[in-house]
Amino acid sequence: MRAAASAVAIAMSCLVLCQAPVQAQNKEATKPIVLKGATLIDGLGGKPIPASVLVILDGRITAVGSAKSVKTPPGAQVVDLKGKTIMPGMISNHSHIGIVRGLKAGPDNYNRDYILSQLRQWEAYGVTTVTSLGLNAPEFYDLRAELHSGKAPGADVFGADRGIGVAMGAPPAAIVPVGPSQIYRPDTPEAARAAVAEMAARKTDLIKIWLDDFGKMLPVKVKPEVYAAAVDEAHKNKLRVAFHINDLEDAREALKAGADIIAHGIRDKEVDASTIDLMKKRSTWYVATLALDDSNFIFADRPKVTADPFVNRALDPTVKTQLEDPAWQQKVHDAPGSERARKALAMNQKNLMTLYKAGINIGFGSDSGVGLRFPGVAEHRELDLMVEAGLTPLQALTIATSGAAKLLKLDDRGVLKAGRLADLVVLDADPSTDISNAHKIAAVWHRGRPVAASIGTFAQR
Ligand SMILES: [Zn+2]
């Protein structure tokens, strides 16, 4: 019921707010907009500010604070947000674009129109920046330029070009059957260096390496001399390296080779003191992707999840049919892989808390865009699972906003502060008191413009 109400709220607030962009795009582009009266979560973890004032000019925040400290500029368009809460747009450090459409993965999905529809979906769910962490085809670079400049609607996008895996191994062709222009599988250190040099020449944001045999499902892993050469070449090109790992041992090897980002949680064993030391020494970032294992059983264990309009409206019809099929639910519920996934999630949550308490840099990502991790929905699930692990809602939100921006070295977003992009989510209730309130999206603003209309766009897909 709650989620149904919030869907209505999105539609209603759009009636009010969606007129603003027309003005903003026309002659009155320099007219300031003031968001007034909302409880404000700044993204840095500070105590929410009641009855706040936030001033936007030309897509950026020019002032933010209490009604006492910030004056409404003359001639401003004032939007009354009394009773609402605003927080920065979320930033994903681990997603994929153009991989899965409905239930099918394939190279044809990597096309402009489909990717833009995914980016609009992320944005409508309050994720205003996304990192496509590998498996990107050449089209990525034109898309990135369009999204960076704001010429195309949707979440802004950063990425890790193709990334480096291994022939016969990860990333598994059975799960992600990508085209040859979406992955490198070098067999020698020289070939790995050449691959990194090509990605650097295209000006990738990050380098991705897969170091995993998927529970011994795959016969090989990337050889140590190959990934060591890739890391070295990346660092020579001033690029940071994100490692896909599952096991503690692989995480340790990646760290010793110079990993800058551990792009999945450690899920086989408890993280130990010496691994924490390795991470501290290199100021490594850690992205748990709790939603990954969760997505392998949650729709079977809790079939009602699919009925929630917040989830339901993101689902492709073929996905909906599968998730609502009792036979499919039973089969997945009983599958040995689901039991492994439940245990992996529990270990992942435990390790996340250990690393958080040890002061390790924590990023935000759910590995959305692959499997049953639907853009936007998966990020909200990640927030829920972070809180279930033991973080406070405010800690989880801080990771998903300013923390994730810091991982990407972006100092223009992730925080509601003067000078930053006006990327923000308007909510009907305060998520710092209950994380499920983050589902109550009334509007999403991207670069100073309300984009809540995109909810309707993707719902009609
Ligand atoms: Zn991934």
Side-chain angles (χ1 to χ4, degrees):
M1 280 307 284
R2 273 206 232 142
S6 87
V8 173
I10 289 165
M12 299 239 327
S13 49
C14 192
L15 291 176
V16 181
L17 298 169
C18 293
Q19 292 158 16
V22 182
Q23 284 186 355
Q25 280 167 342
N26 295 338
K27 297 163 224 151
E28 298 178 70
T30 51
K31 188 173 171 181
I33 301 169
V34 175
L35 307 186
K36 205 167 189 172
T39 299
L40 184 140
I41 293 171
D42 63 5
L44 291 166
K47 217 172 145 234
I49 304 167
S52 66
V53 175
L54 184 142
V55 185
I56 300 169
L57 188 65
D58 293 337
R60 285 192 185 255
I61 299 166
T62 56
V64 56
S66 66
K68 270 186 210 153
S69 63
V70 179
K71 292 247 163 3
T72 297
Q77 179 195 347
V78 178
V79 181
D80 181 10
L81 293 180
K82 201 164 166 246
K84 311 278 189 207
T85 299
I86 56 180
M87 59 173 264
M90 289 189 274
I91 298 168
S92 166
N93 297 136
H94 191 160
S95 296
H96 296 278
I97 58 175
I99 302 295
V100 178
R101 182 170 201 165
L103 292 169
K104 276 190 153 164
D108 292 350
N109 293 335
Y110 207 100
N111 69 74
R112 186 176 186 278
D113 286 351
Y114 179 56
I115 291 170
L116 286 176
S117 77
Q118 290 186 303
L119 294 172
R120 285 197 302 275
Q121 180 167 324
W122 263 299
E123 184 184 62
Y125 276 91
V127 183
T128 45
T129 301
V130 162
T131 309
S132 178
L133 205 61
L135 310 175
N136 295 293
E139 292 93 321
F140 169 77
Y141 291 96
D142 282 346
L143 274 163
R144 184 180 68 173
E146 277 186 72
L147 272 308
H148 279 0
S149 67
K151 279 183 193 143
D156 197 4
V157 68
F158 293 83
D161 201 284
R162 300 185 198 179
I164 289 181
V166 59
M168 308 297 291
I175 300 173
V176 275
V178 293
S181 71
Q182 286 176 271
I183 184 73
Y184 289 101
R185 300 186 191 270
D187 196 37
T188 62
E190 295 70 32
R193 286 185 189 278
V196 171
E198 282 185 27
M199 293 189 276
R202 289 192 286 264
K203 306 222 179 307
T204 186
D205 299 296
L206 297 163
I207 297 292
K208 167 83 173 278
I209 300 175
W210 279 261
L211 181 57
D212 191 7
D213 61 10
F214 287 67
K216 302 208 163 37
M217 180 182 92
L218 305 169
V220 288
K221 285 185 189 177
V222 181
K223 288 184 274 188
E225 63 269 29
V226 170
Y227 64 73
V231 173
D232 183 61
E233 190 66 27
H235 289 170
K236 277 185 182 151
N237 282 280
K238 306 223 175 334
L239 285 166
R240 293 178 300 153
V241 184
F243 271 80
H244 163 117
I245 56 93
N246 184 88
D247 298 350
L248 178 67
E249 204 43 48
D250 287 334
R252 291 181 57 80
E253 292 308 312
L255 289 164
K256 286 181 199 160
D260 303 283
I261 300 160
I262 298 294
H264 290 293
I266 293 164
R267 285 161 282 165
D268 65 327
K269 288 186 189 131
E270 282 182 41
V271 65
D272 58 339
S274 73
T275 305
I276 293 171
D277 283 347
L278 279 170
M279 295 178 82
K280 278 191 176 164
K281 211 173 282 169
R282 293 197 47 83
S283 300
T284 312
W285 283 87
Y286 184 85
V287 185
T289 66
L290 301 171
L292 194 166
D293 291 293
D294 177 80
S295 70
N296 289 331
F297 61 84
I298 189 68
F299 300 104
D301 287 14
R302 286 170 51 195
K304 280 187 184 144
V305 167
T306 325
D308 179 349
F310 186 80
V311 176
N312 201 276
R313 66 176 180 240
L315 304 180
D316 177 279
T318 59
V319 174
K320 209 177 285 191
T321 304
Q322 178 183 280
L323 298 186
E324 288 168 358
D325 173 12
W328 178 87
Q329 291 164 6
Q330 193 63 49
K331 194 181 106 196
V332 171
H333 176 80
D334 297 343
S338 296
E339 191 47 26
R340 282 197 299 275
R342 288 180 200 104
K343 286 186 177 141
L345 171 60
M347 183 61 78
N348 200 355
Q349 287 178 309
K350 190 170 192 186
N351 284 333
L352 171 63
M353 290 314 293
T354 304
L355 293 170
Y356 183 85
K357 285 174 190 160
I360 300 301
N361 299 315
I362 308 292
F364 181 69
S366 62
D367 204 12
S368 53
V370 179
L372 298 173
R373 294 179 296 284
F374 315 113
V377 173
E379 279 76 12
H380 283 272
R381 185 65 187 148
E382 188 73 21
L383 284 179
D384 295 344
L385 292 167
M386 288 163 86
V387 171
E388 190 186 285
L391 294 172
T392 68
L394 205 52
Q395 286 168 342
L397 292 168
T398 304
I399 288 169
T401 54
S402 66
K406 214 169 154 194
L407 182 150
L408 287 171
K409 298 193 172 177
L410 298 175
D411 55 11
D412 63 351
R413 66 193 80 186
V415 180
L416 299 184
K417 187 170 139 178
R420 308 290 173 115
L421 292 168
D423 294 354
L424 54 93
V425 189
V426 182
L427 300 162
D428 287 326
D430 183 351
S432 73
T433 58
D434 179 348
I435 198 65
S436 72
N437 286 340
H439 293 195
K440 297 176 184 169
I441 298 171
V444 178
W445 288 61
H446 193 173
R447 297 196 175 131
R449 287 199 256 147
V451 290
S454 53
I455 282 272
T457 312
F458 82 78
Q460 287 157 19
R461 193 169 53 156

